[in-house]
Amino acid sequence: MTGQGFIATKEHRRFVEFADAVRRQHTIGICYGQAGIGKTLSARRYANWHKAQKLLEEWGPREDSDHLVYAALSRSRTVFYTPAVLTTPKQIHADLEHISTRVSICVDQHLEKIGKKTGCPAGMSKHVELLIIDESERLSATALELLRDRYDRDNLALILIGMPGIEKWFSRYPQLYSRVGFAHEYRPLEQEELHFVLQRRWHKLGHALDPEDFTDAQAIAAVARITRGNFRLIDRLFTQIDRVMKINELNIITDDVIEAARSTLVIGIS
C-alpha cells in the first residue's frame, strides 16, 4: 500500500470494517498504530480522497469527468482532514465547514444527475456522515472539544487517527472519551502479505521473486527483519536498493544488497 500503487491489505480491509461500523453507529472511533504502516493511506482511500482532493482544493471550472468524483464522494460521504501543526481551533472549525460544504455540494450534484435529489438544501454539510481527522496528536484540548461539540450537534460520526498512546491521551478528556465507541489498532504487515508486497517490489525492479530460492529467501528475511512490515520503510529501503544495484551494476537482489541499502537509511525506533 503506497501512494503510487495501492494494495488492499488485510489491515486495510479491517480499517474499512472499522470505519463502516463507526459511520453506521454514529459514534467516535480511535485508530492508532506506528508511523508508516498505512493508516493515512487507508483513511484517504476510504474517503475517496485520492480522487477528490484536487477538485475540492482547486474548485475551478467543471468538467464531465468530475461526475466520477461526485459519485465517489456520494459513496463515502466522508471528509478527510489533517490539521497543520500550528492550526488553531478557529481555523480547524473554518476548514471543516469549508470542506464539508464542498463535499455536500458534490454529493448534491451526483444525486441530481441520477434523479434522486429531493427538496431544498438543508445544512451546508448535510451529506457528510463521517469526519476522519489524521495526526490527531496535533489537536489541542479546545480543538477536541470543538469536534466533540460538532459530533453532538450534527450527529456526525468521527474517527481520530494517531500514534499508539492517543487512546490513553484522549482518556484525559472524559466528555470526549465517554463517547468513544471503537478503538482500532492498525498493525504492520504479516508475513504472507509482506511476501505479496515484496513480489511486486521485485517485479518493479525487473526481477522475479522465488521464496523457494535460497538467495531470495535470505533477501526476504533481511527485508522483514529491517522493516518489520512497515510500508514507509519498505518504500525507503527499495529506493536505496534500486540505487545500490544501479551503482554497482548488479542484477540480483541479495541480502548483501539489502544490507548495503539499509546502511544508508536512518531508521528510528518502531
Side-chain angles (χ1 to χ4, degrees), residues 244-264:
V244 168
M245 293 184 70
K246 285 178 178 172
I247 290 174
N248 296 284
E249 298 182 352
L250 300 174
N251 53 21
I252 298 177
I253 303 174
T254 65
D255 56 343
D256 288 336
V257 170
I258 291 167
E259 287 297 337
R262 183 256 177 272
S263 67
T264 65

